[in-house]
Amino acid sequence: MGPLCFDRGYGPFRWVCLSLDPADLTATDTAAAGCIDPGRCRQDRDNYHWVCSAGKNDLVVGSQARILYSDATGRVRIALAFNDLVRRGRIGPVIIGRDHHDVSGADSPYRETSNIRDGSNVMAEMAFHCWAGNAARG
């Protein structure tokens, strides 16, 4: 995964809509999609597709939150777009942070991969990456 994501500075970027209003999450999805150029690189194309489709896949369990992998430029652009929405009173407050990247947090059948109808909801890719990476590194 290094050359594909992490060597380019792509990492987890999380936001939580404190209003708990699903409309705020929809607005942040739209704002985030507007900050991503799907033609820039493969990662951005995937991020654009993911954030545009997230609302259709019923990914929310509990808080109105998303996790998106982005580079530093993308994180700044998205954060500024969220700040603008909050400043103009279009949405309530949003917490922006980095998420951890671990196996137990990424394979929950009730979170990130649940209900995605492209077949990936039955995959344990993060667990696979963890053991394979650890084995390769000794």
Side-chain angles (χ1 to χ4, degrees), residues 53 64 70 74 82 85 89 97 126 128:
S53 302
Q64 299 293 314
S70 186
F82 292 174
L85 289 172
M126 293 314 300
F128 184 84

Side-chain angles (χ1 to χ4, degrees), residues 34-93:
C35 294
I36 300 169
D37 174 6
R40 185 172 80 128
C41 63
R42 184 175 67 213
Q43 290 87 350
D44 282 348
R45 184 190 65 234
D46 291 347
N47 281 333
Y48 181 80
H49 173 73
W50 183 88
V51 78
C52 288
S53 302
K56 300 175 204 166
N57 289 306
D58 192 25
L59 297 173
V60 175
V61 176
S63 62
Q64 299 293 314
R66 292 277 189 252
I67 300 171
L68 178 73
Y69 275 66
S70 186
D71 63 355
T73 301
R75 289 190 295 271
V76 169
R77 290 179 70 194
I78 293 168
L80 290 172
F82 292 174
N83 285 347
D84 185 57
L85 289 172
V86 172
R87 184 181 311 109
R88 292 186 292 133
R90 300 280 175 97
I91 63 172

Side-chain angles (χ1 to χ4, degrees), residues 1-40:
M1 286 189 53
L4 298 177
C5 291
F6 301 115
D7 289 356
R8 297 176 185 232
Y10 278 74
F13 174 70
R14 176 188 294 263
W15 67 90
V16 181
C17 297
L18 295 181
S19 67
L20 302 180
D21 184 348
D24 283 1
L25 187 60
T26 299
T28 59
D29 288 348
T30 301
C35 294
I36 300 169
D37 174 6
R40 185 172 80 128

Side-chain angles (χ1 to χ4, degrees), residues 82-106:
F82 292 174
N83 285 347
D84 185 57
L85 289 172
V86 172
R87 184 181 311 109
R88 292 186 292 133
R90 300 280 175 97
I91 63 172
V94 177
I95 291 176
I96 298 171
R98 300 268 311 205
D99 190 44
H100 59 283
H101 184 80
D102 69 11
V103 178
S104 60

